[in-house]
Structure formats: structure tokens, C-alpha cells
Amino acid sequence: MLHLSSPAEAKEWCASQRRQNQTIGFVPTMGALHRGHLSLLNRARQENTTCCVSIFINPLQFEDGQDFDAYPRNLDTDLSLLADNGCDMVFEGTLEQFFPEIDPKDSIPLIPAGHFGKGLEEEFRPGHLDGVRTIVDRLFKVVGESKAYFGEKDFQQTLVVSDLARAIGYPEVIVCPTVREVSGLALSSRNSLLKAEQASEVTQIYQALLAAKKFWQQGERDPETLRCAMNDILEASTLVIEYAAIRDPENWSASPPYGHLTQAQALIAARMGSVRLIDNMRLDNETP
Ligand code: AMP
């Protein structure tokens, strides 16, 4: 596996792969890799002739410096996991390298996340999805024409980056299912920050999503009733709820949809101590 330390080298490598008629699968990450990330890599490997991963903890998407400092970092383990899982190239970079045209003394102008950045995450992490769109725009321009793999766990993020890809004309964005612990807890780099006694309590997020799914399967279509089903479970836990919300996944809206839904996504963000967790579930399909 090739390990490149700048976006410029990565851009050159990707261009040379395309000249050799290779198709590129790309997985952007912030490191501290787990089976969720590796599921994206495995899918990228299956669907392309070569694949690459970026590891960059993007300061532009952290509103809180403490959260940025606390974010888990594990480069050596990440590199061996990637090599063992068939990654062809991994690249890193500094903020200055990603934005060489900006004087390091100046702040980097953010690209607004757009329509899909409205509501939910925006309310609780203002500017976060702007920071995501800004760095993913750069990452897409480094890698170029490719397929890019994102996890459904970050549902609103998948909408924003799909919108970005439509706007710039590439890559093809592939959204992959959320990988979970046996308990149902969605894998996340932040899970390593949980204390042992918190680990069972945070599974209530999954239980709340399942409760909404069960109501849906019993014929409930009112977004407010579905929301209450999740809220009841979360309120009985020690989690601090940021949002438990229902949205129409095909017609994103900042505020809750009205009336009888024909499709629905249940989305939750909650805090356990200083650790923020998000998860979501499509209600109108077969899989739990
Ligand atoms: P991150 O390193 O947290 O920025 O995540 C990098 C990519 O991995 C994003 O597209 C995430 O949505 C995806 N991802 C994170 N956790 C999971 C998971 N449990 N299952 C599937 N994909 C995930």
C-alpha cells in the first residue's frame, strides 16, 4: 500500500491510475478506523479496479476546539488495517496543503452546505456541514472521476455530499449501510471515548429507532407519533437528546414533514457525557 503525505501527490497518483484505465473507489475518513470504515473499503474494492482512502481530521467541521482535540487518533493501527484490507493508496494532508491558495493567516472560506444542510445537524452543530462540504469538495477534486463511498450512519452528510457531487459532476456517490455492534450500537470512532458503564445505555438510541420502525410496520404514518415513540425511549435513559426526528428522506426539509408519510427516515442525535452520537434508520423498508 502506498502512503502519501500530501493531496498533491495523491492527485498525481489518481490521475496516473486513470491514464492506465483503472477505475478508482475512494473512501474519505477521519481515521480511528473501525469495521464501518472497512465495509466502505471492501465495497470500493469490489466495485473498482483500484481504491484509495483519505485520513484527515478536518478542523473546519469541528465547531468546538475541545471536540477536535479529543477526537481519537490512531494512525499506525489505521495504516495496518488499510494494508490488510487491500487498500492501494492512503493519503493525508494538512489544512494548508488542501487550501494552498489561502494565506495560512486567513480563515478558509466555507462553502455553504446548501438545502440538505438545513435543520437537525445545522441546529446543533452550526457550520459543521459547511465544513464537511468544503473539505469534501477539495477531496473530490484531488481524487477526480471515481466512485466515492459514504456511510448511511451520517445520513444528512450523505445528502450534502451527493448534492455536491451533482453540482461538480463527479464522483458517483455510493451510500453504504450502517455497520453495528451486536447490541445495535452504530460503530463510530467516538465510541472509544465512552466509559464501560455508558456503553450499554447508548444502545437505547438503536432501541428508539427500532420502536419507530415497529410503529411504522404496524401502519403508523404520522411523523409526530413516530417521533414520540423514539422520544419516550430516549427520555427513559440517561442520554441527553439533541434531536429525535422524522424526515421524508426523498424530500428533505428543515422542519418536520406534515401528514401521512409514504417514506420516512428516523434520525437521532444524543449525548452521553461529552460524547455525541448520531444514528438513523429508514422506516419503510424490510431490514431492521
Ligand atoms: P468518519 O471517519 O467518521 O468521518 O467516517 C468516514 C466514513 O465512514 C463516513 O462516510 C461515515 O459515514 C462512514 N461510517 C462511519 N461509521 C460507520 C458505520 N458504523 N457504518 C458504515 N459507515 C460508517
Side-chain angles (χ1 to χ4, degrees), residues 63-88:
E63 332 75 78
D64 170 353
Q66 269 180 357
D67 189 27
F68 176 76
D69 293 341
Y71 198 84
R73 290 158 169 86
N74 223 340
L75 187 62
D76 291 343
T77 313
D78 288 349
L79 294 177
S80 59
L81 278 173
L82 291 175
D84 291 349
N85 282 272
C87 177
D88 295 299

Side-chain angles (χ1 to χ4, degrees), residues 15-286:
S16 86
Q17 294 299 306
R18 262 188 306 276
R19 283 196 296 274
Q20 297 165 55
N21 293 324
Q22 303 282 344
T23 62
I24 302 174
F26 172 44
V27 182
T29 82
M30 298 204 298
L33 301 181
H34 51 64
R35 285 187 292 113
H37 298 112
L38 297 179
S39 74
L40 306 186
L41 174 60
N42 288 334
R43 178 95 181 259
R45 267 185 36 222
Q46 282 164 24
E47 297 182 355
N48 302 278
T49 59
T50 190
C51 56
C52 64
V53 170
S54 60
I55 298 181
F56 179 59
I57 307 182
N58 170 30
L60 303 177
Q61 71 188 67
F62 287 83
E63 332 75 78
D64 170 353
Q66 269 180 357
D67 189 27
F68 176 76
D69 293 341
Y71 198 84
R73 290 158 169 86
N74 223 340
L75 187 62
D76 291 343
T77 313
D78 288 349
L79 294 177
S80 59
L81 278 173
L82 291 175
D84 291 349
N85 282 272
C87 177
D88 295 299
M89 186 273 278
V90 56
F91 69 98
E92 300 177 82
T94 62
L95 201 55
E96 290 74 22
Q97 287 173 326
F98 277 109
F99 298 90
E101 77 282 17
I102 310 281
D103 188 313
K105 290 195 297 298
D106 296 337
S107 55
I108 290 159
L110 296 183
I111 303 176
H115 170 69
F116 300 98
K118 303 282 180 223
L120 301 192
E121 286 297 292
E122 179 197 41
E123 243 174 84
F124 292 90
R125 298 189 73 184
H128 163 67
L129 286 169
D130 300 339
V132 169
R133 188 163 181 145
T134 306
I135 194 66
V136 174
D137 176 72
R138 285 294 152 124
L139 290 166
F140 283 174
K141 286 169 182 164
V142 167
V143 175
E145 296 267 350
S146 56
K147 288 184 182 166
Y149 296 80
F150 290 85
E152 190 180 32
K153 184 179 91 66
D154 299 278
F155 183 76
Q156 206 175 341
Q157 171 173 285
T158 66
L159 300 181
V160 170
V161 299
S162 299
D163 186 49
L164 168 67
R166 274 192 299 276
I168 63 178
Y170 62 88
E172 183 183 345
V173 169
I174 315 276
V175 178
C176 303
T178 301
V179 177
R180 301 178 179 283
E181 306 274 12
V182 178
S183 66
L185 176 65
L187 296 188
S188 163
S189 305
R190 293 176 194 273
N191 292 356
S192 66
L193 303 173
L194 291 167
K195 300 191 180 81
E197 66 273 18
Q198 297 173 326
S200 66
E201 194 71 350
V202 294
T203 61
Q204 293 308 308
I205 295 175
Y206 182 63
Q207 293 304 321
L209 294 170
L210 283 184
K213 179 110 184 175
K214 189 163 157 228
F215 269 58
W216 181 277
Q217 287 168 337
Q218 290 166 350
E220 183 57 63
R221 296 292 182 269
D222 172 47
E224 181 55 14
T225 309
L226 294 163
R227 186 192 70 77
C228 288
M230 295 194 286
N231 226 50
D232 288 349
I233 292 192
L234 294 172
E235 275 182 353
S237 77
T238 56
L239 286 154
V240 176
I241 310 168
E242 287 193 349
Y243 58 78
I246 301 292
R247 291 290 181 274
D248 179 339
E250 313 291 343
N251 297 290
W252 185 256
S253 55
S255 43
Y258 290 106
H260 193 90
L261 293 175
T262 52
Q263 58 221 353
Q265 196 86 21
L267 303 108
I268 292 175
R271 286 185 183 271
M272 175 54 78
S274 61
V275 184
R276 183 175 192 269
L277 299 162
I278 63 171
D279 200 353
N280 69 88
M281 188 179 281
R282 182 91 185 213
L283 301 186
D284 57 298
N285 65 9
E286 294 305 313

